[in-house]
Amino acid sequence: MTVDPSNPDTLTNRQGHPVTNNQNMRTVGNRGPATLENYDFIEKISHFDRERIPERVVHARGAGAHGYFETYGTAGNDPVSKYTRAKIFQDKGKQTPVFVRFSSVIHGGHSPETLRDPRGFAVKFYTEDGNWDLVGNNLKIFFIRDAIKFPDMVHAFKPDPVTNIQDGERFFDFCSNSPESFHMVTFLYSPWGIPANYRMMQGSGVNTYKWVNQSGEAVLVKYHWEPKQGIKNLTQKEAGEIQASNFNHATQDLYQAIERGDYPEWELLVQLMSDDEHPELDFDPLDDTKLWPEDQFPWLPVGKMVLNRNPEDYFTEVEQAAFGTGVLVDGLDFSDDKMLQGRTFSYSDTQRHRVGANYLQLPINAPKKHVATNQSGGQMQYRLDRAPGQNPHINYEPSTLGGLREAERSGTEYTPLIEGKLVRETIERHNNTKQAGDTYRKFEEWERAELISNLVGDLAPSDKRIQDKMIALAEEADEEYGRRLRDGLAHAFQGGSSQKPLGNKDGDKAPEQAVRKGHEAEPY
């Protein structure tokens, strides 16, 4: 069957040339050898060789969807304008397009979605003032409070550099020597460490940000996404049973729900606090290892998000999607949270490395408004960020010759007073274990039992010194928590290997089981 080369569904190469034979390369006779001028083959295979971009160091495994955010125009009972002039939150019923990427954190791009791990929850809002990225996790706190420790934390949680196997002893070696991590460890080793899927998990901005109003007044803010579908978590046993039959279950669940019209929804709530140090609290409000008590800082609903469209192509939209904590719009600002400050450089910097200098020209990342900059060049540039009528000779500012001009300020600038000595010190109010104890006591008994069982399973093969440090942290958090962990370790089998996925009690036995259960075969 012949096809008109001008037909739009005709197969072409990247130069637009119609491909008349996609089954056979050009050879000398039908047995070869091949010739060097095989342009269609060389273009096809050389692109195939390059069709993967560098995998994300963290959050490599992900799924995504499009939708919209609808603002309520209020924060609780107050007009939202009292706290922020960000246009996305004004005018009740106003809708803003969004793209959301959910992910796991430590493991690679095709790792099972049942592994014990935090989950990423990143939202890109395509606002009228440009993009806003709210980059967070399902759990509302983090392991560390200073960004200088982030590479060490990730190295400890990643597979061993020699064996390439995740190792619980390495994980607890870092955490036992970083006591601020104990609250996060308590959540991670409970059922909250394995969400049932992406639709039925919470989201959080984790870090503290600021809202700024028209008068230039600021408040501290924390963001919370609450799923309308309810929250569901898995035990280690249940996760293992699901993984045995499907390691893509969360991606499949999200995709199929949207395809059948069961659009997932989340309500966005915020907690607000005056912008000062709050010495009356037993923690620092900028400490991302801490929760803000809801009874003191109530959750105020400000809008809802609906995901109603699946990506048309996974790589183009989900894999190339690039988020950064520094991507804020007018009315939103940074706090002095040291993790946020470090993330703000790291996130966008890694996207320039991973996707390229012009990653913001890709449709999934580009704002849905006109862009005009004096930046140009770099790999894969395919348009100029020019304004209509801009003098093409003028790629600098200021200029009187038809170049770009600065925008007018939309409100009073926020100008906080910053003073103090330059130091390398931790914050004063550590209180590393109190909230971990509060969290333990709020768990239901089955959650506490699962937490202890999972901790014992991973700590039992670990160095005794690491065990003792973790027991001490648990005892400091809650007497019962510490006693149950100590008793569990005292009665646990101390042999075996720590080289297995976190929380997987029998993972170290899998190599021997494969040999024992394998069926013999003759060579062929």
Side-chain angles (χ1 to χ4, degrees):
M1 175 181 171
T2 59
V3 178
D4 180 357
S6 64
N7 194 307
D9 61 5
T10 297
L11 178 66
T12 74
N13 63 24
R14 299 303 284 272
Q15 302 285 6
H17 306 158
V19 175
T20 58
N21 190 331
N22 194 43
Q23 316 307 315
N24 306 287
M25 65 167 63
R26 197 177 194 188
T27 60
V28 179
N30 60 20
R31 296 181 66 241
T35 61
L36 184 61
E37 73 273 11
N38 259 286
Y39 184 88
D40 287 352
F41 166 72
I42 290 174
E43 184 193 81
K44 185 178 181 181
I45 196 66
S46 61
H47 183 273
F48 174 79
D49 294 343
R50 295 164 173 80
E51 68 182 24
R52 293 291 181 267
I53 59 178
E55 186 175 275
R56 288 170 169 87
V57 177
V58 289
H59 299 280
R61 175 68 193 251
H66 298 268
Y68 64 88
F69 172 77
E70 182 176 312
T71 182
Y72 298 158
T74 53
N77 295 322
D78 293 320
V80 75
S81 58
K82 177 179 178 181
Y83 305 108
T84 179
R85 61 177 183 249
K87 294 176 185 175
I88 185 175
F89 291 117
Q90 315 303 319
D91 305 327
K92 180 179 179 180
K94 178 178 183 177
Q95 294 186 355
T96 300
V98 300
F99 180 77
V100 180
R101 186 176 186 271
F102 304 105
S103 59
S104 55
V105 176
I106 291 301
H107 301 279
H110 290 285
S111 54
E113 294 181 303
T114 46
L115 295 177
R116 186 168 302 280
D117 204 11
R119 302 298 193 272
F121 196 123
V123 184
K124 187 179 294 293
F125 301 82
Y126 302 96
T127 87
E128 62 193 280
D129 276 342
N131 289 352
W132 168 35
D133 291 350
L134 181 55
V135 191
N137 290 332
N138 65 317
L139 300 174
K140 299 176 183 295
I141 55 174
F142 202 56
F143 293 95
I144 53 177
R145 59 170 74 97
D146 194 307
I148 200 171
K149 298 181 69 170
F150 189 78
D152 297 290
M153 183 202 78
V154 172
H155 287 171
F157 298 177
K158 283 277 192 181
D160 184 300
V162 177
T163 65
N164 198 35
I165 301 170
Q166 191 177 32
D167 192 321
E169 185 174 62
R170 287 164 40 83
F171 176 90
F172 284 113
D173 187 27
F174 177 86
C175 291
S176 65
N177 288 292
S178 304
E180 70 271 25
S181 69
F182 192 68
H183 194 189
M184 185 69 163
V185 169
T186 299
F187 270 112
L188 185 66
Y189 269 79
S190 78
W192 291 86
I194 311 180
N197 54 48
Y198 297 132
R199 291 184 304 119
M200 296 176 173
M201 71 180 194
Q202 295 170 298
S204 171
V206 179
N207 294 109
T208 301
Y209 290 85
K210 290 181 182 179
W211 272 5
V212 181
N213 66 14
Q214 193 69 25
S215 301
E217 302 162 333
V219 291
L220 301 177
V221 61
K222 287 262 197 180
Y223 298 101
H224 304 277
W225 294 107
E226 293 301 307
K228 296 289 189 70
Q229 300 73 234
I231 302 169
K232 288 193 174 183
N233 301 315
L234 298 171
T235 66
Q236 186 66 52
K237 181 176 183 295
E238 291 162 347
E241 292 168 350
I242 293 169
Q243 183 176 322
S245 60
N246 188 338
F247 64 92
N248 307 291
H249 80 283
T251 294
Q252 183 174 339
D253 173 83
L254 177 66
Y255 185 89
Q256 291 181 342
I258 294 174
E259 284 297 291
R260 66 174 179 263
D262 184 11
Y263 302 140
E265 296 187 25
W266 287 261
E267 187 165 55
L268 180 61
L269 304 103
V270 298
Q271 289 177 287
L272 301 176
M273 187 186 299
S274 61
D275 182 15
D276 53 75
E277 296 184 10
H278 288 272
E280 76 281 3
L281 300 175
D282 62 8
F283 65 94
D284 192 304
L286 303 183
D287 183 351
D288 66 355
T289 70
K290 302 295 190 292
L291 297 169
W292 292 3
E294 189 177 349
D295 58 345
Q296 294 176 257
F297 307 98
W299 290 15
L300 307 176
V302 295
K304 70 173 184 178
M305 179 172 69
V306 179
L307 299 183
N308 58 9
R309 180 165 63 88
N310 280 314
E312 294 182 10
D313 181 75
Y314 179 87
F315 179 86
T316 303
E317 297 163 75
V318 184
E319 185 63 18
Q320 292 192 130
F323 299 85
T325 55
V327 184
L328 305 179
V329 294
D330 183 57
L332 312 178
D333 214 325
F334 307 97
S335 78
D336 298 329
D337 177 339
K338 288 192 278 188
M339 271 301 298
L340 175 60
Q341 300 271 319
R343 292 176 75 201
T344 293
F345 167 76
S346 178
Y347 275 57
S348 294
D349 182 58
T350 199
Q351 305 300 357
R352 296 183 188 100
H353 159 71
R354 191 178 69 89
V355 187
N358 289 299
Y359 75 97
L360 289 172
Q361 291 191 347
L362 296 174
I364 191 64
N365 297 319
K368 297 185 185 300
K369 58 163 290 188
H370 182 71
V371 172
T373 77
N374 286 322
Q375 302 168 17
S376 63
Q379 189 178 39
M380 300 298 288
Q381 175 179 290
Y382 66 92
R383 69 165 183 262
L384 290 174
D385 299 339
R386 293 275 169 80
Q390 179 182 348
N391 186 339
H393 298 283
I394 307 303
N395 60 353
Y396 53 86
E397 190 281 327
S399 169
T400 58
L401 301 176
L404 300 174
R405 294 176 295 172
E406 294 175 324
E408 293 184 11
R409 194 174 303 283
S410 61
T412 303
E413 185 174 5
Y414 171 57
T415 57
L417 175 65
I418 306 294
E419 63 179 0
K421 294 181 179 180
L422 290 175
V423 297
R424 296 177 184 271
E425 296 176 355
T426 185
I427 60 175
E428 292 179 352
R429 286 168 282 173
H430 289 183
N431 218 344
N432 290 321
T433 59
K434 178 179 180 293
Q435 288 198 2
D438 295 339
T439 295
Y440 175 82
R441 289 184 289 274
K442 289 177 182 176
F443 283 162
E444 296 180 22
E445 172 52 31
W446 72 272
E447 292 175 303
R448 291 195 289 267
E450 180 74 6
L451 165 66
I452 299 300
S453 174
N454 292 329
L455 284 173
V456 167
D458 274 7
L459 277 168
S462 298
D463 187 291
K464 180 67 162 54
R465 294 168 295 179
I466 296 173
Q467 293 182 12
D468 290 343
K469 287 183 177 181
M470 293 303 298
I471 290 170
L473 290 170
E475 289 176 336
E476 189 177 293
D478 181 90
E479 185 278 330
E480 179 191 285
Y481 191 172
R483 173 171 47 80
R484 290 176 71 169
L485 182 57
R486 182 183 293 277
D487 290 348
L489 286 169
H491 295 91
F493 173 65
Q494 300 296 316
S497 170
S498 60
Q499 296 178 346
K500 55 187 174 63
L502 298 184
N504 193 319
K505 299 179 184 61
D506 298 322
D508 60 324
K509 300 175 184 177
E512 183 275 330
Q513 289 176 336
V515 173
R516 179 165 46 84
K517 294 183 177 182
H519 299 275
E520 293 184 358
E522 295 296 325
Y524 63 90

